[in-house]
Amino acid sequence: MNASRSPAPARITAKTKLIDAAHDLVRRQGYAATTVDQICAAAGVTKGAFFHHFPSKEDLGVAAAAQWTARAAPLFELPPYTRLEDPLERLLGHIDMRMAMIDGPAEGFTCFVGTMAQETFASNEALREASSESITAYCEALAVDVQAAIDRHGIRDNITAESVAWHVQTVLQGAFVIAKASGDPEKARESVRHLRRYIEAIFNISS
Amino acid sequence: MNASRSPAPARITAKTKLIDAAHDLVRRQGYAATTVDQICAAAGVTKGAFFHHFPSKEDLGVAAAAQWTARAAPLFELPPYTRLEDPLERLLGHIDMRMAMIDGPAEGFTCFVGTMAQETFASNEALREASSESITAYCEALAVDVQAAIDRHGIRDNITAESVAWHVQTVLQGAFVIAKASGDPEKARESVRHLRRYIEAIFNISS
DNA sequence: CACAACATACCAACTGGTTGGTATGTTGTC
DNA sequence: GACAACATACCAACCAGTTGGTATGTTGTG
């Protein structure tokens, strides 16, 4: 039978190369300033290939947002700290890792969907929605450890796990903006350091 | 005599209308997606007027960034809390005001220079620099009260005033991104609430 | 004051290059 | 030989910027 064959298991085709190129170019230039021709050139394929795989530039954006989510997943599984027993230590380990990632040129560590959402939130609902879903997925993954940390250690002022996770995401997105504007990744890391101190403060670490 | 007369005192000319239109449209659509024709239409002038006042679209961007700084200045002078005696209360009052401003459509409360910097940091040094200067001016103005609050109340971990001011800016920029992506200003306000709690925590309020 | 010389502010029509998208091949593989 | 995966050639709309011009000040000088 095999009525619905599984989709070709992530071979390195023009499709994935186009998405990778979009991740790179959009983070560097923004969505609107990035042309289809540029993406094709960076991917080493022609326009025919582009429009064979994606009906429009917008559809590539949506696909690239979904792929961005998949690309972030390993952050919650692979690093060493993810196997720590205390969920609060896992959370702080995650923040330390995000801080360490903020280095080198901004296009290397900034967020594809955050950049795209900013340009399209009012003019292209499909792209805003796709970006929003990717950010939401990150926050939901992070909130799991936050909730576990609350269960273990307790937290001040009845703060919710979701709220903390979204705040982490907010500080990261803000740090990316500041890194881009100032040209100084250290300014961005400094804010993540403030975020870490805040997390330590709201959990009752002593208990 | 009168060799260098002062420049015409801010009349409502095509120039100011074009800058206002740019502030509005760029915050809504981004810099690259906003066309000169759109700006002219919104300002109610022709393209001829545009290129009479600005040699290029880029020059308008630089002028609009400078004007954005001037537009933000009243935030540090006019509101009632700016006359409070305790600098920490002035700082918290400022944050409360920024939180209250996050309401309605995102293009109404988000940051022109933050948006522009994100799209141009790697491709247009003049616009990145102009945006950076505007953000820096905001942080320097804010740092004055932060330093006064440190002098009065003391602060944990030898945190510097500049670092706190930049963190405030970072959280605000991140809140704007989240508001745009999620379409929910409340998510953005929630992060500013976390920021407020952090500020309270790092100052030794009891002393 | 008068008036030429010049500057400023603005406009409508146009242009050369760019952009997203299309129409029509060609090629490799089951 | 059928079909997916590409490539080549092309187009209509759009975009930043230009051109040539008008209307309305402003200034220096007799």
Side-chain angles (χ1 to χ4, degrees):
Chain A
M1 300 300 114
N2 191 8
S4 65
R5 209 177 21 192
S6 62
R11 276 165 37 228
I12 302 163
T13 59
K15 190 165 188 171
T16 64
K17 283 195 287 183
L18 284 165
I19 288 176
D20 285 348
H23 285 166
D24 186 57
L25 286 167
V26 170
R27 287 198 288 170
R28 203 198 315 268
Q29 309 174 337
Y31 174 80
T34 300
T35 70
V36 172
D37 280 322
Q38 283 178 331
I39 296 172
C40 291
V45 301
T46 61
K47 243 170 152 175
F50 184 104
F51 286 102
H52 171 71
H53 289 289
F54 306 104
S56 69
K57 185 187 175 186
E58 176 186 272
D59 283 275
L60 165 71
V62 171
Q67 186 56 34
W68 187 255
T69 308
R71 192 172 142 168
L75 294 185
F76 296 99
E77 293 157 12
L78 262 49
Y81 65 79
T82 58
R83 283 180 294 279
L84 291 174
E85 189 265 337
D86 185 340
L88 179 54
E89 285 183 31
R90 291 201 297 273
L91 175 58
L92 292 172
H94 182 84
I95 289 171
D96 288 339
M97 180 202 59
R98 295 308 305 254
M99 182 153 46
M101 284 171 64
I102 299 175
D103 199 19
E107 58 265 36
F109 59 79
T110 51
C111 178
F112 170 77
V113 291
T115 301
M116 197 164 69
Q118 290 230 70
E119 293 180 73
T120 59
F121 76 99
S123 52
N124 190 319
E125 178 62 15
L127 290 178
R128 186 206 62 78
E129 173 78 16
S131 303
S132 178
E133 278 173 17
S134 183
I135 292 175
T136 300
Y138 175 91
C139 290
E140 284 175 355
L142 195 60
V144 173
D145 271 346
V146 179
Q147 185 59 58
I150 292 175
D151 293 342
R152 165 86 72 107
H153 297 278
I155 197 164
R156 283 170 45 182
D157 302 346
N158 291 318
I159 301 169
T160 67
E162 290 74 29
S163 177
V164 173
W166 279 91
H167 183 55
V168 170
Q169 177 65 209
T170 297
V171 173
L172 288 173
Q173 293 290 350
F176 299 156
V177 176
I178 295 303
K180 290 184 211 171
S182 71
D184 181 10
E186 175 55 23
K187 278 208 159 57
R189 283 193 298 267
E190 183 94 7
S191 263
V192 179
R193 225 166 277 131
H194 283 292
L195 170 65
R196 194 192 202 281
R197 187 159 24 216
Y198 175 65
I199 303 272
E200 290 172 343
I202 56 176
F203 283 98
N204 309 315
I205 295 192
S206 55
S207 70
Chain B
M1 303 301 116
N2 193 9
S4 67
R5 211 177 21 191
S6 63
R11 280 166 31 227
I12 301 161
T13 59
K15 190 164 186 172
T16 64
K17 284 195 288 184
L18 284 165
I19 289 175
D20 285 349
H23 285 166
D24 186 57
L25 286 167
V26 170
R27 287 198 287 170
R28 202 198 316 269
Q29 308 174 338
Y31 174 80
T34 299
T35 69
V36 172
D37 279 320
Q38 285 178 328
I39 295 171
C40 292
V45 302
T46 62
K47 237 170 161 175
F50 183 103
F51 285 101
H52 170 71
H53 290 287
F54 306 104
S56 68
K57 186 187 176 187
E58 175 187 306
D59 284 273
L60 166 71
V62 171
Q67 186 56 35
W68 187 255
T69 308
R71 192 172 142 167
L75 294 184
F76 296 100
E77 293 156 14
L78 262 49
Y81 64 79
T82 57
R83 283 179 294 278
L84 291 174
E85 190 266 337
D86 186 339
L88 179 55
E89 284 183 32
R90 290 202 295 273
L91 175 59
L92 292 172
H94 183 85
I95 289 171
D96 288 340
M97 180 202 59
R98 296 307 306 253
M99 182 153 46
M101 284 171 64
I102 299 174
D103 200 20
E107 57 266 37
F109 59 80
T110 50
C111 178
F112 169 77
V113 292
T115 301
M116 196 164 69
Q118 289 229 70
E119 292 179 73
T120 59
F121 75 99
S123 51
N124 190 320
E125 179 61 15
L127 290 178
R128 186 206 63 77
E129 174 78 16
S131 303
S132 179
E133 279 173 16
S134 183
I135 292 175
T136 300
Y138 175 90
C139 290
E140 284 175 355
L142 196 60
V144 173
D145 272 346
V146 179
Q147 185 60 57
I150 292 175
D151 293 342
R152 165 86 72 108
H153 297 278
I155 197 165
R156 283 171 44 182
D157 301 346
N158 291 319
I159 302 169
T160 67
E162 290 71 32
S163 177
V164 173
W166 279 90
H167 183 54
V168 170
Q169 177 65 209
T170 298
V171 173
L172 288 173
Q173 293 289 350
F176 299 155
V177 176
I178 295 303
K180 289 184 212 172
S182 72
D184 180 10
E186 175 54 22
K187 279 208 159 57
R189 283 192 296 268
E190 183 95 6
S191 263
V192 180
R193 223 167 277 130
H194 283 291
L195 171 65
R196 194 191 203 281
R197 186 161 24 220
Y198 176 64
I199 302 275
E200 289 172 344
I202 56 176
F203 282 98
N204 309 316
I205 294 192
S206 55
S207 69

